[in-house]
Amino acid sequence: MKKFSIFMVALAIVSGQAFAGGHKALPSDAADEQVLRIATSSAGENSFIFTGLSGGGDHQNWQSFLWVPPMYFDENKELQPGVFNKWESNSDFTEWTFNIDSRAKFSDGTKLTAQDAKDTWEAMANPDSRNGRIVGYIGNVQGFADAREKKTDKISGIIAEGSTVRVKLNNPDPIFHWRISTAHMNIVKGSQAKSGINYWKPENNPAFSGPYVLSQYNPDQNTATFTPNDNWWMDEGPYLEKITFQFVNDGDTLAAMFQNEQIDLSMQQPSPILKKIMPDVFEPAPRIGFNSFWFNVGAAPTDDPMVRKALVLAIDPKEIYKAAFPKSQFESVMPRQFMDPNLQCYDDGIVYYDFDPEAAKAALKASSYGGPENLPKLRVTPRATWPPLKRGMEYAMEQWRTVLGIQNVEFKDKPQNFGGDSGKVNVSRDDVAARFPDPAVYVFKGTHSTGPIASGEMMRAYKNEKIDMLLDEAMMVEPSNPKRCALAHEAQRLFLNDWPMIILGKPLESINRRGYVKNVYSGPDIARHAPWKIYIAK
Amino acid sequence: MIIFLSVRLFRWITGLLLVLLVSYAMMFYGGGDPIKQMFLDELGNTQYLDQKMIDSEREKYGLNDPFIVQFKNYLLNITKGDWGTSYRAQRPVLDMIKPRLWISIQLGFAATVFMALVGIPLGVIAALFHNKWIDLTIVGTIVTINAIPVFVTGPLLLLFFVLIVPIMNVPYGWNGLFDTQVILPIIVIAISTLPIILRQTRTSVLEIKNEDYIRTARAKGLSENKIILKHVLRPALTPVITSLGLVMITLINGALFVELIFNIPGFGKMTIDAIRDVDHPLIMSTVLVGTLVVMGSNLIVDAIYFLVDPRINN
Amino acid sequence: MKKTKSLTEIALARLAKNYLAQIGFFIVILFLAVAMIGPVIAPYDFLSQNIDRALEKPSLDHLLGTDPMGRDIFSRMIFGARTAAIVAFTTTILSLILGILIGTIAGFFGGKIDSILMWLTDVTMSVPGLLLAILINASIKPPISNFFDQLYQSTKNPFFLNTYLIDFVIVFGAIALISWPGYARIIRGQILSLRQQVFVEAAVSMGSGFGHLIRKHLVPNAIGPIVVTVTQGIGAAILLESSLSFLGVGVQPPNASWGSMLSDSLSLWRSFPHLMLVPAVTIGIIQIAFIFLGDGINDALNPKQTRR
């Protein structure tokens, strides 16, 4: 018996609230008490926030509890209706029409309208909402650029007509409906979306369209509570009486909380030891994308492709992967190419390269520096303190030392520790993630000159005209057409020929939950989808 | 008295300005780009920034101004009581600091009291039995425990008391000072500075025990207990109190690891997050508060100094 | 005790009787020896990896087992001794010199100089140290390491290749810059109380010189507390290095330090306890050794306790 009950005080705050209305009959194996305890971590306790507009971060991933997304991909990577129950496009994919489910309404009882969708997306486009990902979702919509530059607060290409939302695109996009099928595009009540960044706090009476509402929020204690939405509009659920959130930072502490039955569900990965003790906590989740070390093509010496080739070939892909993710700690898939195995048209016959120390030495010799002696300093960073990433980098540094004789390497765990030199960092780590299973978009994000990797801090202005052309063409081809696949593969081939990166890999991500928490689903979008189905079994 | 206080105040204000200027300069020139930091997730992955968004945010926070202008604005706002808004949490910094600082002060104070109550008596006992086995056991045990970093002892103790000898749950959050879950964190914090007090007490008692006037007192036939209470303890406590002040500062500012392991929403954790996020208003406020805490503690130490050892007066 | 015995002889005689101090002394000597000749006695190169033999338990091949990269932990510990020694001594000696200088000036001259120096002491003490270390790491280190890089590019002297040195000099130099007030206060306090004591006044009135005063009265009185503080400081510096490594600011790969070995093992300690135990126990032993030694020297040197 435990002497102290930690949660009593925290729960007492909200326990006065009776469980009323909208309560559906529980599944037959449900437990008497339906309370779910979630641990969450994020980019730091200072970002324990639940705004639905900023698109990103750990907490965004719980927002499917508060708002129903437009549509979502389920655990089998199939598209399911959300707030939008019908979607269609014209024949050349330049205009899309979405129909709002007639039942959809907010927790304050008002109907969810097309105008709400328009207002929300316009608010997201405004840079003040700090939504960095929105360009990847609706950047192709007519008038988006003007709204992004704050020339206007309206997006002309989004037209609200009663219960339908019509979207006009600049360029044809046969998968535009996939792009908005994420919890990052949740539709918030329009008047609130435009009323400022703090609209979602309980004191401002926010309206939610999801199965639960945010009823208590304490940013100083880092706790929050969700309770059922009295005006829930779908047929199923919600079954839980209450969801409590705690902010837990340390992986070992989190594992101890799981073992001690203080926590039922978490997004953050607990310490790997838990996998040995309580394997039932881990259930694989089909995420797309993995970590890689990218070369900065804008700074010496990695602007020289031969140097990049030497640095890549000196790394044994099997060993760097083993060093980062030891078998006893992680279950994982070893990547041998840029594309992720969870994507359609993945071809495991493609191999980026094999370990070849002799070729690596030859490449360094053939580079403009002629050998390790004249090579300028390499600045490297895993950009995080997570040990696997650091180990991967340490392995690479040691290989460069022993195979190539390169010793002039400076390591920092974060790019800002290079101070004013952070633009000269030669090797840094990031992942390419995709929220829907489309290989062309995935390759686009990683290789196209306007994508986040090529244009951003990883490669700093990588541009290959041929790749851009291939992908621009691929974007307009239907996913069912094998040509889309072929174009993506060709772009990947060209990209890998430029020696842009060292692939590190990624452990299999999992849904971390106790076995008695049922119906926790996760698809390619990181958010838990269909949270209204979750219940606690006996 | 008034002159003393105003001189003191002048010293404080000039000192504070110097600390703020140096910190601001280092943060400004070496802290990294706060706007980029704002959009990193927990693995340091970028969140697809576009230049328009960076420009918009930089403009909003006045980050394009030169250093002097920014620092001047910062000082002006501080005098108006506006400590700024956290870039990351989007809340007024003052609202964030108050509850966290209060928690840290309570923790630090409780740990100091615990430490003094345990450390001083143990130090006296150790000194009285100088080089006997009691002395060696006390000093040895405390020093050994202390010699291991807090971020090692913390998780070990936590796991031990939660899973192996299950007498408690994993502490979470802050339910006030009089909740049983703070016991373990307080002990862990106190352990980190216990040896300083213990050794300080032991050393000064040893010194004073051999002073001439004590031997005179002994020669006069005063009982050993009386000598210790009356003549040894009081002067011996003076240096102890000095270090007590230093220790309290360490505890309030430095309970970081304990806050991390025991999920306590305190000041140290916020400081580290602020630095990591390059959250300028928050960093400056933690520097400001940290400096004020230290200065305040020094004042209290000085006051107690006067009371305990009248010799200092002249 | 005979009056003819010098202070040093008395101290040595007392030290010879203190077994704990002797144990401490031997451990410290061993530590310093390992730090100096480390690479010669290490069975493996502390950097060489063997991924196929990662995370092994201690065996005859690898006395303390291997880490996740298959590196020999024993060899890494030996290299880490060098790191720890440099960290501890850089920080302590730098701050000691500063502290003695400032404390002496403040104590002897008094008045305005004293009050300005004490103001500086107060200000320095109120700077949050961890914050300073993190910020200095980002603001001052890059230009200096670039300067070293340029020196290397022009001279090709491998000495300038070593970012290791910069890590220490800058980060731990910065810590020294803010940790001198402790020493300064002790020295100043000793001088102040000395000035008030009767025998000093008598000595001054009898015409003994400044140097004589320091040698005869200040040094014997101040050395005890200073030795204690220095030994504490050395232990604290080794601990601080591990805290900084925990926060990712300390010694950077490819170099090894006990602190970084410890913080790297934190995510694995429940599966592979030896990864954490080895550095944690070593740090503990070294700290205790310094403390025993310091206490022993203090007891031995303290003239008040000597002349019964």
Side-chain angles (χ1 to χ4, degrees):
Chain A
M1 275 307 290
K2 309 277 165 174
K3 273 189 190 158
F4 319 125
S5 178
I6 301 302
F7 297 102
M8 286 318 291
V9 178
L11 296 191
I13 303 164
V14 286
S15 57
Q17 203 166 333
F19 180 44
H23 186 193
K24 301 295 186 305
L26 285 165
S28 55
D29 62 339
D32 293 337
E33 205 187 31
Q34 295 289 322
V35 177
L36 180 66
R37 296 159 303 178
I38 298 180
T40 181
S41 132
S42 181
E45 69 172 296
N46 297 341
S47 47
F48 186 71
I49 46 178
F50 288 93
T51 169
L53 298 176
S54 71
D58 195 3
H59 296 100
Q60 307 299 328
N61 300 325
W62 298 109
Q63 284 173 17
S64 52
F65 286 74
L66 299 176
W67 290 282
V68 176
M71 288 98 82
Y72 62 89
F73 278 94
D74 67 11
E75 63 278 19
N76 302 318
K77 293 179 247 168
E78 273 163 27
L79 195 59
Q80 300 291 341
V83 166
F84 296 155
N85 59 0
K86 269 187 266 164
W87 48 90
E88 57 184 16
S89 74
N90 62 357
S91 56
D92 65 352
F93 304 111
T94 53
E95 190 172 318
W96 284 82
T97 312
F98 301 95
N99 186 62
I100 292 176
D101 192 319
S102 58
R103 299 169 300 169
K105 61 181 171 185
F106 287 110
S107 54
D108 60 2
T110 55
K111 271 185 89 80
L112 193 157
T113 65
Q115 189 62 40
D116 289 320
K118 180 173 164 62
D119 287 348
T120 301
W121 294 351
E122 283 168 355
M124 289 174 172
N126 185 332
D128 291 344
S129 70
R130 320 168 128 214
N131 193 322
R133 291 183 159 135
I134 190 72
V135 184
Y137 302 135
I138 58 168
N140 185 18
V141 174
Q142 287 179 15
F144 174 85
D146 287 347
R148 192 66 173 168
E149 281 163 29
K150 288 173 123 179
K151 286 185 190 148
T152 165
D153 56 356
K154 297 270 180 275
I155 299 177
S156 57
I158 302 175
I159 300 138
E161 289 163 341
S163 65
T164 61
V165 181
R166 212 145 51 81
V167 180
K168 290 182 174 172
L169 305 180
N170 289 322
N171 298 313
D173 184 2
I175 56 152
F176 178 77
H177 59 314
W178 288 7
R179 292 181 192 270
I180 62 167
S181 300
T182 159
H184 286 175
M185 293 300 289
N186 287 343
I187 294 160
V188 172
K189 195 174 165 83
S191 56
Q192 294 186 339
K194 295 205 161 178
S195 71
I197 48 173
N198 286 324
Y199 76 93
W200 53 275
K201 291 185 177 166
E203 64 264 28
N204 298 330
N205 294 318
F208 299 99
S209 65
Y212 299 94
V213 299
L214 179 68
S215 54
Q216 178 260 339
Y217 169 72
N218 185 338
D220 298 320
Q221 293 276 341
N222 296 316
T223 57
T225 309
F226 293 175
T227 45
N229 176 357
D230 294 341
N231 282 307
W232 174 237
W233 49 275
M234 284 196 186
D235 297 328
E236 197 176 359
Y239 300 121
L240 300 168
E241 292 159 39
K242 185 160 49 193
I243 302 171
T244 60
F245 274 88
Q246 302 171 8
F247 185 93
V248 178
N249 211 300
D250 185 72
D252 266 320
T253 309
L254 184 65
M257 289 174 102
F258 263 113
Q259 280 179 270
N260 195 39
E261 298 185 14
Q262 282 176 263
I263 285 295
D264 307 315
L265 178 65
S266 85
M267 184 75 73
Q268 182 196 5
Q269 298 274 339
S271 128
I273 185 73
L274 198 63
K275 201 166 259 173
K276 264 187 203 157
I277 305 167
M278 301 176 70
D280 77 313
V281 167
F282 298 85
E283 185 182 306
R287 297 287 150 61
I288 296 170
F290 31 66
N291 281 299
S292 307
F293 295 139
W294 302 91
F295 293 118
N296 179 351
V297 298
T302 43
D303 54 348
D304 182 340
M306 288 319 262
V307 172
R308 298 202 296 267
K309 183 178 179 185
L311 295 178
V312 171
L313 288 179
I315 306 292
D316 187 335
K318 295 189 191 86
E319 296 219 320
I320 193 172
Y321 161 79
K322 264 200 258 174
F325 309 110
K327 188 111 196 81
S328 54
Q329 300 290 312
F330 300 96
E331 274 174 60
S332 41
V333 184
M334 191 182 75
R336 296 305 309 272
Q337 61 178 289
F338 173 62
M339 234 184 255
D340 187 282
N342 279 317
L343 287 163
Q344 303 161 7
C345 88
Y346 170 80
D347 174 2
D348 65 3
I350 298 169
V351 171
Y352 176 17
Y353 72 96
D354 279 310
F355 178 48
D356 190 344
E358 292 314 312
K361 278 178 214 156
L364 191 61
K365 205 157 191 139
S367 76
S368 53
Y369 302 98
E373 303 81 23
N374 298 320
L375 203 69
K377 180 194 286 182
L378 281 172
R379 296 181 177 81
V380 304
T381 174
R383 305 202 331 136
T385 48
W386 196 39
L389 305 177
K390 188 181 173 194
R391 288 201 294 264
M393 196 58 99
E394 281 194 67
Y395 171 81
M397 288 162 74
E398 175 64 5
Q399 287 297 106
W400 295 336
R401 185 179 76 99
T402 50
V403 174
L404 299 172
I406 298 175
Q407 293 201 51
N408 197 3
V409 183
E410 190 173 7
F411 175 100
K412 293 276 184 332
D413 61 356
K414 285 169 199 145
Q416 67 257 38
N417 287 342
F418 285 102
D421 288 342
S422 56
K424 296 188 202 154
V425 173
N426 297 99
V427 188
S428 38
R429 181 223 37 100
D430 204 346
D431 64 352
V432 180
R435 284 166 192 276
F436 48 89
D438 179 66
V441 169
Y442 183 78
V443 174
F444 185 98
K445 279 175 129 180
T447 69
H448 194 276
S449 64
T450 62
I453 295 290
S455 68
E457 301 210 345
M458 291 303 108
M459 300 190 69
R460 293 183 188 265
Y462 169 83
K463 189 173 169 75
N464 183 327
E465 305 275 354
K466 276 190 202 149
I467 293 178
D468 285 7
M469 261 163 51
L470 287 168
L471 290 175
D472 287 341
E473 190 187 346
M475 285 300 109
M476 300 180 197
V477 179
E478 276 181 80
S480 54
N481 186 338
K483 197 181 169 199
R484 192 174 170 103
C485 239
L487 288 168
H489 274 304
E490 179 59 11
Q492 168 176 251
R493 195 187 61 80
L494 290 174
F495 184 61
L496 295 181
N497 280 348
D498 274 341
W499 306 103
M501 61 173 177
I502 297 162
I503 305 173
L504 180 64
K506 195 177 195 178
L508 286 185
E509 287 201 36
S510 58
I511 298 169
N512 313 308
R513 53 124 185 79
R514 293 299 298 259
Y516 50 74
V517 184
K518 297 288 177 192
N519 292 349
V520 185
Y521 297 119
S522 181
D525 192 9
I526 297 170
R528 308 285 179 252
H529 61 257
W532 50 85
K533 294 178 180 168
I534 296 176
Y535 70 96
I536 311 277
K538 277 176 187 136
Chain B
M1 192 64 188
I2 292 169
I3 295 170
F4 172 79
L5 275 182
S6 49
V7 167
R8 202 83 215 191
L9 203 67
F10 178 74
R11 285 168 63 119
W12 275 21
I13 291 173
T14 47
L16 193 60
L17 280 178
L18 185 67
V19 173
L20 288 181
L21 180 69
V22 171
S23 313
Y24 206 95
M26 281 195 296
M27 177 186 78
F28 186 87
Y29 291 109
D33 185 346
I35 305 302
K36 281 178 193 153
Q37 285 303 305
M38 240 185 261
F39 298 93
L40 295 182
D41 66 14
E42 63 275 17
L43 272 186
N45 298 325
T46 37
Q47 316 258 313
Y48 311 130
L49 295 168
D50 55 44
Q51 197 56 41
K52 282 175 195 105
M53 200 163 68
I54 295 176
D55 293 345
S56 155
E57 296 276 330
R58 287 194 77 85
E59 197 59 40
K60 195 163 125 196
Y61 296 112
L63 288 168
N64 294 328
D65 298 338
F67 172 74
I68 291 297
V69 177
Q70 287 193 36
F71 186 60
K72 194 192 73 194
N73 288 343
Y74 169 73
L75 286 184
L76 281 178
N77 286 337
I78 288 285
T79 51
K80 285 183 216 145
D82 173 12
W83 291 38
T85 304
S86 157
Y87 294 166
R88 185 114 198 178
Q90 291 291 302
R91 298 173 61 207
V93 164
L94 215 48
D95 287 0
M96 294 172 72
I97 283 195
K98 270 188 212 154
R100 286 170 174 81
L101 183 66
W102 177 229
I103 289 172
S104 287
I105 287 179
Q106 290 178 74
L107 262 186
F109 187 73
T112 310
V113 170
F114 175 86
M115 190 185 59
L117 287 181
V118 175
I120 294 176
L122 282 183
V124 173
I125 293 171
L128 294 183
F129 296 91
H130 185 211
N131 276 348
K132 306 262 163 48
W133 66 269
I134 298 184
D135 178 25
L136 298 181
T137 316
I138 292 175
V139 176
T141 314
I142 300 294
V143 165
T144 310
I145 296 172
N146 172 255
I148 300 163
V150 174
F151 56 86
V152 175
T153 41
L156 284 177
L157 285 175
L158 182 77
L159 224 63
F160 185 76
F161 286 116
V162 171
L163 296 177
I164 297 170
V165 187
I167 55 166
M168 59 180 282
N169 278 328
V170 177
Y172 182 76
W174 181 254
N175 301 332
L177 190 55
F178 298 100
D179 191 277
T180 40
Q181 74 176 29
V182 304
I183 294 173
L184 196 54
I186 284 178
I187 292 177
V188 174
I189 297 175
I191 283 175
S192 65
T193 43
L194 195 57
I196 302 178
I197 289 301
L198 179 91
R199 283 151 46 80
Q200 190 65 260
T201 315
R202 180 172 168 273
T203 313
S204 47
V205 170
L206 275 182
E207 258 171 38
I208 296 196
K209 227 170 68 170
N210 295 316
E211 289 273 4
D212 292 338
Y213 66 95
I214 302 292
R215 269 178 279 152
T216 318
R218 209 175 267 135
K220 269 160 60 183
L222 284 179
S223 80
E224 194 71 11
N225 284 342
K226 211 167 177 182
I227 292 173
I228 289 163
L229 283 177
K230 207 166 166 190
H231 296 284
V232 176
L233 268 189
R234 239 170 89 120
L237 279 184
T238 318
V240 174
I241 286 162
T242 324
S243 40
L244 210 60
L246 287 178
V247 158
M248 194 158 152
I249 295 159
T250 324
L251 294 183
I252 292 172
N253 282 333
L256 161 75
F257 298 113
V258 174
E259 286 172 14
L260 211 70
I261 292 154
F262 292 98
N263 288 317
I264 297 169
F267 186 68
K269 176 73 176 51
M270 192 181 71
T271 308
I272 291 301
D273 276 348
I275 296 171
R276 193 195 52 186
D277 297 343
V278 203
D279 198 330
H280 286 184
L282 211 52
I283 294 179
M284 287 316 291
S285 305
T286 55
V287 172
L288 182 61
V289 170
T291 314
L292 285 178
V293 164
V294 176
M295 289 179 168
S297 315
N298 283 346
L299 188 73
I300 295 171
V301 168
D302 282 354
I304 299 175
Y305 225 73
F306 274 118
L307 295 177
V308 174
D309 193 352
R311 279 189 305 181
I312 307 293
N313 274 323
N314 46 42
Chain C
M1 219 160 271
K2 280 185 220 160
K3 288 234 167 120
T4 48
K5 263 193 179 176
S6 79
L7 204 65
T8 327
E9 283 170 305
I10 298 170
L12 283 178
R14 288 181 67 90
L15 210 53
K17 273 188 253 166
N18 188 336
Y19 296 117
L20 280 181
Q22 283 171 23
I23 295 172
F25 180 73
F26 283 122
I27 295 177
V28 168
I29 291 293
L30 186 69
F31 164 64
L32 292 179
V34 167
M36 272 196 279
I37 58 158
V40 182
I41 51 170
Y44 297 85
D45 179 357
F46 78 100
L47 279 175
S48 77
Q49 304 170 344
N50 186 351
I51 304 291
D52 292 329
R53 298 198 58 178
L55 290 167
E56 280 184 10
K57 298 240 151 55
S59 66
L60 277 179
D61 259 8
H62 295 281
L63 287 176
L64 296 172
T66 58
D67 73 357
M69 322 277 300
R71 297 176 295 205
D72 181 49
I73 292 179
F74 183 59
S75 305
R76 288 182 78 71
M77 289 303 295
I78 286 174
F79 186 85
R82 174 170 291 188
T83 311
I86 299 179
V87 167
F89 288 102
T90 329
T91 316
T92 319
I93 290 173
L94 271 180
S95 53
L96 187 65
I97 292 172
L98 270 173
I100 288 179
L101 214 63
I102 290 170
T104 317
I105 295 173
F108 266 110
F109 292 98
K112 275 221 176 70
I113 295 176
D114 180 33
S115 114
I116 290 173
L117 287 178
M118 281 302 105
W119 172 79
L120 198 65
T121 313
D122 285 348
V123 172
T124 312
M125 279 172 82
S126 41
V127 175
L130 229 44
L131 184 86
L132 185 89
I134 295 171
L135 288 180
I136 280 193
N137 191 40
S139 56
I140 298 181
K141 220 156 97 182
I144 294 185
S145 92
N146 281 350
F147 174 68
F148 267 65
D149 189 41
Q150 279 165 10
L151 283 181
Y152 169 69
Q153 296 298 344
S154 52
T155 62
K156 296 289 173 225
N157 183 344
F159 175 78
F160 299 115
L161 241 171
N162 208 343
T163 53
Y164 189 59
L165 213 72
I166 305 166
D167 279 338
F168 292 132
V169 175
I170 309 301
V171 178
F172 296 101
I175 291 164
L177 272 184
I178 55 159
S179 47
W180 55 266
Y183 300 110
R185 285 200 156 192
I186 292 176
I187 295 280
R188 176 177 170 272
Q190 287 291 339
I191 292 177
L192 284 187
S193 69
L194 212 64
R195 279 170 55 158
Q196 286 163 12
Q197 280 173 29
V198 190
F199 67 87
V200 174
E201 278 166 31
V204 170
S205 67
M206 278 159 69
S208 36
F210 194 67
H212 175 81
L213 203 63
I214 291 184
R215 211 171 48 241
K216 207 76 187 169
H217 300 292
L218 178 64
V219 171
N221 274 297
I223 200 147
I226 294 234
V227 163
V228 172
T229 321
V230 165
T231 50
Q232 280 172 356
I234 288 178
I238 296 176
L239 265 190
L240 187 69
E241 194 273 319
S242 69
S243 305
L244 285 176
S245 288
F246 186 76
L247 298 172
V249 182
V251 177
Q252 303 292 342
N255 295 309
S257 81
W258 294 344
S260 61
M261 291 173 73
L262 195 57
S263 58
D264 286 351
S265 69
L266 278 177
S267 65
L268 294 167
W269 72 267
R270 286 184 70 185
S271 326
F272 304 96
H274 70 281
L275 286 182
M276 189 181 83
L277 274 177
V278 171
V281 168
T282 312
I283 290 177
I285 289 175
I286 297 296
Q287 282 215 70
I288 293 168
F290 270 107
I291 285 168
F292 282 163
L293 181 65
D295 278 356
I297 295 177
N298 180 41
D299 288 353
L301 285 181
N302 207 325
K304 287 177 191 168
Q305 282 159 247
T306 326
R307 305 190 206 106
R308 290 252 155 161

